[in-house]
Amino acid sequence: MNSRIVLITGASSGIGAAAAEYLMKKGFHVYGTSRKVSGNIDEIKARDNLSGGFIRMIPMDVTDDESVDKGIKFILEKEGRIDILISNAGSGIAGSVEDVSMEEARVQFDVNFFGTLRVIKAVLPVMRSQGEGRIIAVSSVAGVISIPYQAHYSSSKYAVEGLAEALRYEAAPFGIKVCIVEPGDTRTGFTSNRVIAANATEDSPYYERFRRSLARMEKDEQNGPSPEDVARMIFRMVMKKNPPVRTTVGFQYKLILFLKKILPGSILEKVVGLLYN
Ligand SMILES: NC(=O)c1ccc[n+]([C@@H]2O[C@H](COP(=O)([O-])OP(=O)(O)OC[C@H]3O[C@@H](n4cnc5c(N)ncnc54)[C@H](OP(=O)(O)O)[C@@H]3O)[C@@H](O)[C@H]2O)c1
């Protein structure tokens, strides 16, 4: 059962790396992706675990059709199937709506939304022909509540949520289960990998507020829960017979999203404004 084949995009660091490790220890056969894996794809060695699980890192850039197709083809040649996709690769850009250029916005959507879409489209025919499969999209609490100076990141994750929600209906008749995992601030490389908009400089009228907001966010991320906490939740969604459409990681974030449902919008807006603006 646990020797199922898992594809995790963005498994070189943070949440993806933790999920790969966790699933390997449970005996899963994990193919993790990174843009940094070099060398011949066929010569890449697997890390084995006593449980029978392994992690094999393969090169993949989720913004590139050819790279995604090559990675999927490689796994199919080796294993003949892909049981679970954890679409996790992602990045963040920070800056005000006015300061983030159209090109920077496009790059953000290219990785977080179109990257997710591209890999999902590549595995769907495989899972459909198997008559079963599972797709877990790693979104964010920011995919439900938008935060100032993170508009593009939030929008890209809102888009991922919309995609996964609709796909859940479409894929179910083919035995494919789709769900969303929403981490809150998590201690990973995400903070240092975040791109700052080129125009978010001292000349920007948003600069002071932007810097304060970003500093708060960076602090919350670096003091946040470990990626292993998210990995455990991903594992639960892998194992659950009928995973719910979305699962938030961490009590405080579950509470925030619950409050979003029950509080008038104006109160939530005040709280987010106080914290991040
Ligand atoms: N950390 C947080 O606070 C937090 C909160 C909510 C949601 N999330 C989400 O969790 C996911 C994982 O983030 P993380 O926190 O683990 O960040 P991370 O440590 O920076 O890891 C990001 C991963 O994504 C990969 N990646 C980035 N761009 C890629 C591309 N174009 N093609 C392929 N892979 C790419 C990176 O791989 P390479 O650079 O090796 O290619 C890396 O493995 C993201 O979707 C993020 O939005 C994070």
Side-chain angles (χ1 to χ4, degrees):
M1 168 84 163
N2 277 2
S3 59
R4 280 179 292 171
I5 311 301
V6 188
L7 167 60
I8 305 180
T9 62
S12 62
S13 114
I15 292 168
E21 194 74 26
Y22 200 93
L23 291 171
M24 171 181 71
K25 287 182 180 151
K26 297 284 182 191
F28 287 83
H29 293 181
V30 179
Y31 285 80
T33 79
S34 164
R35 289 163 301 176
K36 295 174 202 131
V37 176
S38 58
N40 187 335
I41 193 167
D42 270 309
E43 286 163 8
I44 295 160
K45 293 273 180 298
R47 271 185 52 217
D48 295 299
N49 185 269
L50 290 176
S51 62
F54 67 68
I55 303 174
R56 184 185 270 249
M57 290 298 291
I58 60 170
M60 188 182 286
D61 181 340
V62 297
T63 65
D64 181 325
D65 286 338
E66 203 187 322
S67 168
V68 170
D69 289 345
K70 217 167 149 184
I72 302 288
K73 195 165 157 249
F74 176 79
I75 301 171
L76 290 177
E77 276 166 15
K78 292 278 168 216
E79 310 288 349
R81 55 189 296 115
I82 297 173
D83 297 299
I84 298 150
L85 164 66
I86 298 166
S87 175
N88 164 78
S91 62
I93 183 161
S96 70
V97 170
E98 195 177 336
D99 284 336
V100 173
S101 69
M102 286 308 291
E103 183 48 29
E104 287 169 329
R106 237 176 252 124
V107 170
Q108 178 72 108
F109 269 75
D110 243 4
V111 179
N112 290 2
F113 176 68
F114 289 109
T116 298
L117 177 60
R118 185 172 284 106
V119 181
I120 286 178
K121 277 175 70 70
V123 300
L124 275 173
V126 179
M127 291 182 173
R128 227 178 359 84
S129 69
Q130 292 167 183
E132 60 179 351
R134 188 167 293 223
I135 296 173
I136 299 173
V138 177
S139 173
S140 171
V141 170
V144 185
I145 296 180
S146 202
I147 292 168
Y149 314 106
Q150 306 290 324
H152 306 80
Y153 176 70
S154 275
S155 315
S156 69
K157 291 296 189 180
Y158 272 63
V160 166
E161 300 244 349
L163 170 72
E165 248 180 59
L167 177 62
R168 192 171 151 97
Y169 296 105
E170 295 174 10
F174 300 101
I176 304 167
K177 295 176 179 173
V178 180
C179 68
I180 301 163
V181 170
E182 294 163 341
D185 292 325
T186 311
R187 207 166 58 241
T188 68
F190 192 80
T191 312
S192 57
N193 290 332
R194 180 180 279 118
V195 175
I196 307 298
N199 286 332
T201 63
E202 283 175 33
D203 296 334
S204 164
Y206 299 89
Y207 187 70
E208 290 304 326
R209 284 200 180 89
F210 164 67
R211 287 312 313 180
R212 270 202 307 276
S213 178
L214 183 64
R216 174 167 193 117
M217 179 149 302
E218 288 176 337
K219 192 165 149 238
D220 288 348
E221 284 164 1
Q222 290 314 295
N223 294 324
S226 75
E228 284 73 27
D229 291 348
V230 185
R232 261 192 299 278
M233 182 59 85
I234 289 174
F235 173 66
R236 279 175 59 190
M237 293 308 113
V238 163
M239 297 306 286
K240 220 172 166 61
K241 192 164 176 239
N242 291 308
V245 61
R246 49 174 55 76
T247 312
T248 309
V249 186
F251 175 75
Q252 74 192 89
Y253 295 108
K254 283 188 202 312
L255 181 67
I256 290 168
L257 296 193
F258 174 69
L259 290 177
K260 175 172 176 164
K261 274 190 203 143
I262 60 164
L263 287 178
S266 56
I267 295 187
L268 189 81
E269 198 179 341
K270 275 213 174 69
V271 175
V272 173
L274 275 175
L275 289 174
Y276 293 105
N277 202 28

